[in-house]
Amino acid sequence: MGEMNKKVNVISCIFLLSILSFNAQSQTIGVEAKAPAYKLPEMLISSKGEKIQTPEDWINIRRPEIITLFGEYVYGRFPGTCLEKKFETVKIDSNALCGKAVQKNIVACFIKDGDTIPMELLIFIPAHATKPVPLFVGMNFYGNQSILPDPGIPVTKSYVLNNPEYHIFNHTATEESRGADSSSWPVERILERGYGLATFCYDDLDPDFDDGFKNGIHSLLDYSEKNDSNELSSISAWAYGLTTAMDYFETDERINKNQIVVIGHSRLGKAALWAGAIDQRFAMVISNNSGCGGAALSRRIAGETVKDINTRFPHWFCKNFHDFNDKENEIPVDQHMLIGLIAPRPVYVGSAEQDEWADPYGEFLSLYHAGPAYTLFGLEILEKDTLPEINKPLWTGKMGYHIRTGGHAITRFDWEKYLDFADYHFDRKDK
Ligand code: GCU
């Protein structure tokens, strides 16, 4: 009997220990436990070693320094003002989506020495809006026609051109692909909540394959052959598209140019963060599952690493970034500084529990370590470096974060939380 009791005790001990260790594992979100020790570069020490103590010093000294570092070592130079831009309205439909929206199709043209690259911008404005509306802008992966099964949306030409053989979830990149990615784009819900939505296909700026930076808008830029280590990357080209869309919004009286939210999922979340960091006209920045080179800290070496991403996607970052394969600790910046550049504007980072490749905890930690930039403006910051509960958004000051159940995607849950956050910060409680 005594022996039997001992056995039962040993078995229950083992059972208890395994429950405890399972809990510990789930709290550490997979790869966290393996992250090596690291020291992040200082957000508030200038290159001359001065301590940045005021918003003015941040704006005039440290912010430009950090932008230059990201441009030089991570994303590559931005084209600046060397391309001429023109906007052409090709269609306005005041009775789109069964009367729910005004649809506008704008072509933004990038022009250099007579050559033109078009970017097809699709905009929906809630039909019954009585004043300029706040608006979300985000790029799409598969052409404008993929966001809704609506025959009134022109099929994006660059997508068809660059992906003739490609199948979007079993649909060829043609008429057949209408609405193929509609689960990522709850258009009617966004309109119902009083927001406009604008989108364009990232292929318009730069098709997503490595061709040595020659296609897309690269074809219009004459960077010197000898000094191309910090050349505009694909992510910078995509981000440049977002800032160009912003140029257009400033001219459209149906849009509230002070309430534009830039949003992106995954690789397009990396571009949304970079665009939002550089261009302060964006009033709010949202990263959804953007991972390595986006919201996740590189130095954690958890999930996708710098070497992983540079190997699989050599065109996403500038050539200098490849020097940091397996040398994350030598990058002069880390991704918390990208989020710091958004201060004092609202920023929201969305992660997914099963998206370990994007290192959810590393995404959260970037937001946490962006704190010092927000503190300079007297804003509240995240108190603790521990993840909030799953599916329970955490908002502090201008920072928002959630980790939801499920995997790598932008879901209805994510959109609802982003819309709630925008309502709150745009003071739209009684809309
Ligand atoms: C790959 C890549 C990620 C990226 C993702 C996406 O998984 O490794 O860095 O975020 O694609 O864009 O879907």
Side-chain angles (χ1 to χ4, degrees):
M1 188 67 181
E3 262 318 294
M4 186 65 177
N5 265 345
K6 246 192 229 162
K7 237 187 199 164
V8 169
N9 279 343
V10 170
I11 290 169
S12 25
C13 258
I14 293 172
F15 182 60
L16 206 73
L17 279 174
S18 57
I19 289 183
L20 286 176
S21 85
F22 173 79
N23 271 342
Q25 264 170 30
S26 58
Q27 275 163 20
T28 54
I29 309 294
V31 285
E32 183 193 348
K34 290 188 219 134
Y38 55 87
K39 185 173 175 328
L40 294 176
E42 290 284 350
M43 179 92 79
L44 298 186
I45 305 281
S46 76
S47 58
K48 292 193 185 133
E50 300 145 338
K51 177 107 186 88
I52 302 296
Q53 282 168 321
T54 62
E56 292 70 36
D57 284 353
W58 171 257
I59 291 161
N60 299 322
I61 303 172
R62 191 58 178 149
R63 187 179 139 79
E65 273 181 10
I66 296 176
I67 291 179
T68 305
L69 291 172
F70 273 107
E72 188 65 26
Y73 296 104
V74 184
Y75 303 111
R77 285 179 286 171
F78 226 56
T81 53
C82 64
L83 299 181
E84 192 193 339
K85 296 177 187 176
K86 274 198 186 138
F87 299 102
E88 194 191 328
T89 305
V90 289
K91 174 175 167 182
I92 302 184
D93 177 358
S94 308
N95 199 24
L97 310 184
C98 304
K100 294 194 183 94
V102 175
Q103 177 182 327
K104 296 187 90 173
N105 291 89
I106 308 293
V107 175
C109 293
F110 302 99
I111 307 165
K112 180 95 179 289
D113 304 330
D115 293 329
T116 299
I117 299 278
M119 173 178 117
E120 297 182 62
L121 187 59
L122 168 69
I123 305 174
F124 288 115
I125 306 285
H128 304 295
T130 51
K131 53 181 187 184
V133 294
L135 173 136
F136 280 74
V137 58
M139 285 176 278
N140 62 69
F141 284 89
Y142 311 112
N144 295 342
Q145 78 290 349
S146 68
I147 76 161
L148 265 186
D150 186 293
I153 302 175
V155 175
T156 298
K157 293 180 204 66
S158 68
Y159 190 79
V160 179
L161 205 71
N162 291 307
N163 306 275
E165 304 297 322
Y166 193 78
H167 289 236
I168 312 166
F169 313 131
N170 296 327
H171 304 289
T172 51
T174 60
E175 290 289 330
E176 237 193 278
S177 63
R178 290 195 177 282
D181 195 24
S182 55
S183 65
S184 305
W185 298 94
V187 180
E188 294 191 1
R189 179 65 179 148
I190 295 167
L191 294 167
E192 191 179 277
R193 292 198 52 170
Y195 290 80
L197 175 71
T199 187
F200 55 93
C201 180
Y202 74 145
D203 268 9
D204 279 355
L205 281 302
D206 194 18
D208 193 359
F209 54 85
D210 180 26
D211 72 335
F213 297 136
K214 291 196 183 60
N215 57 13
I217 58 164
H218 292 106
S219 63
L220 300 178
L221 302 168
D222 45 18
Y223 287 145
S224 123
E225 289 292 320
K226 291 190 194 90
N227 180 23
D228 62 357
S229 52
N230 60 357
E231 193 168 19
L232 175 92
S233 65
S234 294
I235 288 179
S236 270
W238 302 330
Y240 182 64
L242 290 166
T243 68
T244 302
M246 185 70 212
D247 295 339
Y248 171 76
F249 303 144
E250 288 194 308
T251 69
D252 190 322
E253 58 194 19
R254 293 177 203 260
I255 298 170
N256 181 344
K257 64 177 165 44
N258 298 317
Q259 294 188 339
I260 309 281
V261 183
V262 62
I263 184 168
H265 167 62
S266 208
R267 69 198 71 180
L268 301 182
K270 307 180 207 296
L273 281 172
W274 180 221
I278 298 178
D279 190 338
Q280 301 191 75
R281 295 174 299 172
F282 290 115
M284 184 179 292
V285 185
I286 297 178
S287 147
N288 190 78
N289 304 181
S290 62
C292 180
L297 289 176
S298 301
R299 277 166 173 75
R300 268 175 49 80
I301 318 185
E304 184 173 28
T305 65
V306 168
K307 185 175 177 186
D308 289 331
I309 205 164
N310 280 331
T311 308
R312 286 182 61 208
F313 307 101
H315 54 298
W316 282 5
F317 300 88
C318 69
K319 289 183 190 146
N320 279 343
F321 195 53
H322 292 235
D323 295 344
F324 303 111
N325 289 351
D326 291 328
K327 291 186 191 149
E328 280 83 353
N329 282 311
E330 293 176 26
I331 314 172
V333 284
D334 210 320
Q335 300 305 110
H336 65 304
M337 296 162 94
L338 187 67
I339 295 182
L341 291 174
I342 298 163
R345 294 164 293 152
V347 57
Y348 197 124
V349 174
S351 303
E353 192 187 14
Q354 287 162 20
D355 190 14
E356 291 190 359
W357 189 236
D359 185 20
Y361 187 51
E363 294 183 314
F364 174 77
L365 282 181
S366 267
L367 193 65
Y368 173 77
H369 288 295
Y374 281 80
T375 309
L376 277 181
F377 293 89
L379 294 165
E380 262 184 275
I381 56 168
L382 299 178
E383 272 171 33
K384 295 185 287 186
D385 63 1
T386 41
L387 276 171
E389 270 178 64
I390 304 283
N391 295 333
K392 294 249 169 75
L394 173 67
W395 296 359
T396 307
K398 299 283 176 79
M399 298 178 161
Y401 178 84
H402 69 241
I403 174 161
R404 61 157 168 79
T405 38
H408 190 69
I410 181 161
T411 65
R412 181 73 178 246
F413 175 94
D414 296 318
W415 275 103
E416 290 292 342
K417 302 304 162 206
Y418 302 148
L419 286 159
D420 291 348
F421 191 68
D423 275 357
Y424 177 72
H425 285 287
F426 294 160
D427 206 10
R428 289 172 49 78
K429 279 162 242 115
D430 331 303
K431 61 199 175 304

